[in-house]
Amino acid sequence: MPAEAKADSKNARPAPGASTPAARSGTAHTRPHSLSRPASPPLTERQEARRRRILHASAQLASRGGFDAVQMREVAESSQVALGTLYRYFPSKVHLLVATMQDQLAHMHGTLRKKPPAGDTAAERVAETLMRAFRALQREPHLADAMVRALTFADRSVSPEVDQVSRQTTVIILDAMGLDDPTSAQLSAVRVIEHTWHSALITWLSGRASIAQVKIDIETVCRLIDLTDPSER
């Protein structure tokens, strides 16, 4: 882990509006109506606007130069907040970049809802959805690399932010499947699909997989959806 990432992740302080830590076992993959968990009091309009500026600045810096380009002091200056205020929202660069990934996924989700996937089966719709999300990240390779590296460096102190990324990905997949009340088997399939998607992103970023291979891997793993469909039994 880079020295800055190590230093930033130590002595983490709770961020305004951040959800409370929870055990990873089972909490990141629950049914859609219970995907959110008890959180701190909601941010005020001014606090939310400040948080949006911080995330925007983080994404802009990462887009230009990747993980190393995101320096907390520069983020503070770009978002017009005091450095101490930035650390109250995001205790480290890793916290910030993982939150940036969740924000990017939320934006993608909004775009996908405006233009839903057109596949005939749930497996086809999920594969199309994940490839659209992948291509969105492909257009910003430095940003994608920065966010994935942050996920890789994340320790227990970043669990709430990592869980938010996982829940957002779960919701995107379940929406594509058209499910409001998935079975435990279907949620297990979603977890495997998520792992494959993230792994495919890492191998592509490292130059060890082509886009064509990523597409094949995603389409292959999405066939698990058919195996867990109760109506097919």
Side-chain angles (χ1 to χ4, degrees):
M1 179 183 297
E4 181 181 355
K6 283 187 177 180
D8 280 347
S9 63
K10 291 181 180 178
N11 304 316
R13 290 160 283 180
S19 49
T20 57
R24 286 176 179 265
S25 55
T27 59
H29 300 282
T30 52
R31 295 180 179 181
H33 58 266
S34 61
L35 285 172
S36 60
R37 61 185 172 181
S40 302
L43 300 178
T44 65
E45 185 175 342
R46 184 175 180 180
Q47 288 173 327
E48 180 60 31
R50 185 181 297 130
R51 185 177 186 276
R52 300 298 313 166
R53 292 202 309 272
I54 292 170
L55 291 173
H56 178 73
S58 170
Q60 288 292 309
L61 288 169
S63 293
R64 291 198 291 267
F67 185 88
D68 293 335
V70 182
Q71 302 296 323
M72 296 298 272
R73 188 172 296 279
E74 289 189 33
V75 172
E77 292 174 357
S78 297
S79 57
Q80 299 181 321
V81 302
L83 185 59
T85 300
L86 172 59
Y87 276 107
R88 285 199 296 273
Y89 279 80
F90 302 102
S92 74
K93 179 165 81 170
V94 171
H95 286 79
L96 173 57
L97 281 169
V98 174
T100 300
M101 185 166 195
Q102 192 279 329
D103 187 62
Q104 293 291 312
L105 287 171
H107 178 73
M108 288 180 199
H109 193 196
T111 301
L112 289 164
R113 280 180 164 170
K114 292 177 182 176
K115 188 179 179 182
D120 293 330
T121 68
E124 290 174 351
R125 292 193 299 273
V126 172
E128 179 185 337
T129 292
L130 293 179
M131 283 308 299
R132 284 169 62 182
F134 187 90
R135 290 190 180 97
L137 293 172
Q138 183 188 6
R139 289 191 289 272
E140 297 282 358
H142 291 307
L143 174 59
D145 182 65
M147 296 186 299
V148 169
R149 287 178 65 184
L151 280 174
T152 303
F153 297 147
D155 59 19
R156 286 179 179 271
S157 72
V158 199
S159 290
E161 289 80 5
V162 173
D163 288 346
Q164 288 281 7
V165 169
S166 181
R167 280 194 294 276
Q168 185 68 57
T169 309
T170 298
V171 170
I172 288 172
I173 293 173
L174 291 177
D175 270 10
M177 291 171 69
L179 287 181
D180 293 324
D181 193 22
T183 65
S184 59
Q186 287 171 324
L187 286 173
S188 292
V190 169
R191 281 194 293 273
V192 175
I193 291 168
E194 285 184 33
H195 296 327
T196 302
W197 186 74
H198 285 125
S199 177
L201 183 57
I202 291 170
T203 55
W204 173 76
L205 285 168
S206 64
R208 292 183 289 117
S210 65
I211 299 299
Q213 186 60 57
V214 167
K215 186 173 186 293
I216 291 171
D217 291 348
I218 289 176
E219 290 176 346
T220 299
V221 76
C222 284
R223 292 175 191 151
L224 286 174
I225 294 171
D226 296 333
L227 301 178
T228 59
D229 186 350
S231 66
E232 296 297 324
R233 297 178 183 177

